[in-house]
Every structure is written in C-alpha cells, then in structure tokens.
Amino acid sequence: MTKPPAAPESRLASTEVETHVEAFQKSRDDRRTELMEDYVELIADLIEHAGEARQTDIAQRLGVTQPTVAKMLKRLAEENLITQRPYRGVFLTDEGHRLAMATRRRHQVVEAVLCRLGVDPDTARNDAEGIEHHVSEKTLEAFERFLKA
Amino acid sequence: MTKPPAAPESRLASTEVETHVEAFQKSRDDRRTELMEDYVELIADLIEHAGEARQTDIAQRLGVTQPTVAKMLKRLAEENLITQRPYRGVFLTDEGHRLAMATRRRHQVVEAVLCRLGVDPDTARNDAEGIEHHVSEKTLEAFERFLKA
DNA sequence: CATTATTTATAGGCGAGGCTAAATATCAAT
DNA sequence: ATTGATATTTAGCCTCGCCTATAAATAATG
Ligand SMILES: [Mn+2]
Ligand SMILES: [Mn+2]
Ligand SMILES: [Mn+2]
Ligand SMILES: [Mn+2]
C-alpha cells in the first residue's frame, strides 16, 4: 500500500510486510516477559541454594535496588507467580515454579549450545541470560538435538 | 553479606553474585539498544529496497503507530544515528549506517545458524529478530566458525 | 489553483521499570 | 527491655515505549 501497485518491488511487499511485522511483534512480546522469567528463575535458585529468597538477595543478584524488587514482586504476586511472607522471603506458586523450571531449562540448553560452539564459559553465561528469552520451543528442540549429536 | 560468613554456601557466594549480576546487567543493557538496532536495520533495508524510508513505512513494518515512530525517530536523531527531511524520508548517518550493517550481519548469522541446526525458516527468522541483540562479538565469531565448518 | 488525500507533527495519557529518600517493622544483641 | 542493625514498605520522580485523537503541512489531482 502507500503507493499504487505499479512499483517493481510492491508485488511481494504485502506478504513481506506481514512476516516482518510478525517477527517484530514476537520480539516485543518476549521483552514483556523477560523480566518475569529472570525473577522466577532467580527465586528458584535462591530457594534451592540458600533456603530462602528475600528482597535484598534478589536485588543484589539482579543489580537493582531493593524498592525496585519490591515493586516487581507485587506484580509477580498479582500474576500469581509468587506469594510473599514479610521477612520470611518469597515463594513460588505452582505456576511460578513451572515457569521457573521452563526458563531454567532454556537457560541451560542455550548456554550449553554456546559452549559447544566454542564460546568461552563467561561469555556463554552472559549471552545466554539474554538469548534464553527469545528461544521458541521449536528452536529449543533443535538445540537439544544438536547437543545430543 | 546479609548473613555472616558461616553458612556453607557463603564461601563462593561473593564471586557468584558478581558474575550473576554482570549477566543481568548486560541483558538490561542490550534491551536498551534493541529498538534502536531494529530501527536502523529496517531503515537501511527500506532505503535499499524501496529507495526511501518514510515514517508510515517504518510504522507498518514494525507493527506500531506512526506517532510512535515519530517519537523514536526524534531520539535516533538526537543520538546522531539518522537525519530527517520532512516528506522526504529518513536517512542514516555514518554512525547509523555502521550500526545498521553490524546489526544486519548479526541477524543474518543468527538466522543462518538456526537454520543450520534444523529450525524451519519462519521460526528462525522470528527467533533471530530477538536473539540478534544479545549476541556478543565473541559468540558471533563462534557462530561464523560453525557456519564455515 | 482549489480540493482531496497522504504524510508528518503535536498533545496528552498509560504502564513498565528504574531511582532516591524516608517511614515502619522485624530481628539481634547487650 | 532497650537499642541498634537489617528488612520491608511507601511515596515521589524519572525515562522509555506504546497508544488515540487531532492539527498542520505537503503532495497529488481534477
Ligand atoms: Mn535472562
Ligand atoms: Mn537465565
Ligand atoms: Mn531485532
Ligand atoms: Mn533484525
């Protein structure tokens, strides 16, 4: 559209535009859930390794301030991913736990793939922390097949 | 910190925390530049394939409204990535062009790697649109080695 | 050249995600 | 039990990225 269908590139334009916009929309969508995934994954880790997940611990690990964490935890509670007992730490709901485990799996698989491709462990961990949120189920399965081979 | 150094896991805790926080900070940092990268890459594509990049075209491709694009273009101009000539479209500065080419390279390499690993083309394109922004130079080089092998 | 269509600009609003500062509440220790 | 340290809550404030509605400018057309 925008210009009449006479221009040479316009013939394929409409489908091209649709596939393009789909990718960008998925990307924006992923961005909205990235933080929630990092939180539940971190909370699961803290509970397993430290026995509890308090706001200050979470803040320290994420590198943000504690009031920032407090506000986000409210959102996570509203979304039924966690419950809170003041001064007793944060706990995952069943739904939160499922999301945490799914995120952890993706994180591990992505990191392992990077390592297998010769990336050094530090870089692999750092890059995986961002990449993990954009890996679809299909891509994840392809990664797992690659690791098994 | 937080607890005395007596707890069993605390011995490694301090370095663990630092590496963890580094990954999250990189992830947040990448998120800040994601959008700018998508814009300049798209603008380069539009100029090459359509001869010009107007606000309405950009909006249509990204799947957002035109005022959203107008506002973002102001930011990109402030950051010296683009220049604008009203009703004549958007143009990349040298800096913007360099960023666009770097982003395009990453996009193509990531998409190619996914395809090589057996991901179908549509999924590869969609996932690459998000993953590309979190791939460091080291990982990119590993990807390129993998593709050559 | 006057009218219409398209493009761009502007105003105002909303939620997410970050911050600092200050008030509360709990915990720990003397 | 009092005091001091630590943890949590709350209150503003900011920027970014999205939106709708509208106005203004330009382009295209009869
Ligand atoms: Mn992450
Ligand atoms: Mn992770
Ligand atoms: Mn992208
Ligand atoms: Mn891209």
Side-chain angles (χ1 to χ4, degrees):
Chain A
M1 358 239 124
T2 273
K3 27 179 77 165
E9 314 83 357
S10 295
R11 237 161 298 176
L12 290 173
S14 77
T15 59
E16 244 177 52
V17 168
E18 283 154 25
T19 57
H20 218 165
V21 77
E22 184 192 336
F24 284 125
Q25 270 163 353
K26 172 185 180 291
S27 196
R28 276 200 302 278
D29 242 40
D30 289 343
R31 237 174 284 165
R32 270 195 32 250
T33 53
E34 255 175 81
L35 247 201
M36 299 195 323
E37 291 180 352
D38 280 339
Y39 267 81
V40 295
E41 189 189 354
L42 174 57
I43 289 166
D45 284 359
L46 284 171
I47 290 175
E48 284 178 29
H49 294 109
E52 59 179 356
R54 293 170 310 161
Q55 294 189 6
T56 46
D57 301 331
I58 298 170
Q60 193 187 16
R61 300 292 177 115
L62 291 177
V64 298
T65 62
Q66 172 268 321
T68 295
V69 171
K71 200 186 275 188
M72 180 62 54
L73 292 181
K74 242 179 227 165
R75 269 192 62 215
L76 296 181
E78 279 164 15
E79 307 246 8
N80 279 309
L81 293 172
I82 65 163
T83 58
Q84 294 185 81
R85 288 194 306 173
Y87 299 86
R88 287 287 159 88
V90 178
F91 304 87
L92 294 171
T93 63
D94 286 356
E95 193 186 341
H97 192 256
R98 273 195 300 276
L99 182 58
M101 293 305 105
T103 303
R104 176 184 291 175
R105 168 177 165 239
R106 262 181 298 152
H107 187 117
Q108 288 171 342
V109 169
V110 169
E111 196 170 327
V113 166
L114 294 186
C115 285
R116 174 73 72 90
L117 291 176
V119 178
D120 68 283
D122 276 5
T123 304
R125 185 195 356 269
N126 287 348
D127 287 10
E129 197 56 71
I131 292 172
E132 56 178 355
H133 310 284
H134 300 273
V135 170
S136 66
E137 187 60 32
K138 280 182 184 173
T139 296
L140 188 61
E141 283 162 13
F143 281 1
E144 284 175 331
R145 281 195 302 274
F146 172 68
L147 288 175
K148 268 179 205 138
Chain B
M1 18 237 67
T2 275
K3 25 178 78 164
E9 314 85 356
S10 296
R11 236 160 300 175
L12 290 173
S14 76
T15 60
E16 244 176 53
V17 168
E18 283 155 24
T19 59
H20 218 166
V21 76
E22 183 192 337
F24 285 125
Q25 270 163 353
K26 171 185 180 290
S27 196
R28 276 200 302 280
D29 241 40
D30 289 344
R31 235 174 285 164
R32 269 194 34 251
T33 53
E34 254 176 84
L35 247 201
M36 299 196 323
E37 292 181 351
D38 280 339
Y39 267 80
V40 295
E41 189 189 354
L42 174 57
I43 289 166
D45 285 358
L46 284 171
I47 290 175
E48 285 178 29
H49 294 110
E52 58 179 358
R54 292 170 309 162
Q55 292 189 9
T56 46
D57 302 332
I58 297 169
Q60 193 187 15
R61 300 293 178 113
L62 291 177
V64 298
T65 61
Q66 171 266 323
T68 296
V69 171
K71 203 184 273 190
M72 181 60 57
L73 291 181
K74 242 179 227 167
R75 268 193 62 213
L76 295 181
E78 279 164 14
E79 308 246 6
N80 278 310
L81 294 171
I82 64 163
T83 58
Q84 294 185 82
R85 288 195 306 173
Y87 300 85
R88 288 289 161 88
V90 178
F91 304 87
L92 294 171
T93 62
D94 286 357
E95 194 186 339
H97 192 257
R98 274 195 299 274
L99 182 59
M101 295 305 104
T103 302
R104 176 184 292 174
R105 169 178 166 235
R106 263 181 297 154
H107 187 118
Q108 288 170 343
V109 169
V110 169
E111 196 171 325
V113 166
L114 294 185
C115 286
R116 175 73 73 90
L117 292 177
V119 178
D120 68 281
D122 276 4
T123 303
R125 185 195 352 271
N126 287 348
D127 287 10
E129 196 55 71
I131 292 174
E132 56 177 357
H133 310 283
H134 301 272
V135 170
S136 66
E137 186 60 31
K138 280 183 184 171
T139 295
L140 188 61
E141 282 162 15
F143 281 1
E144 284 176 329
R145 282 195 301 273
F146 173 68
L147 288 174
K148 270 181 203 139

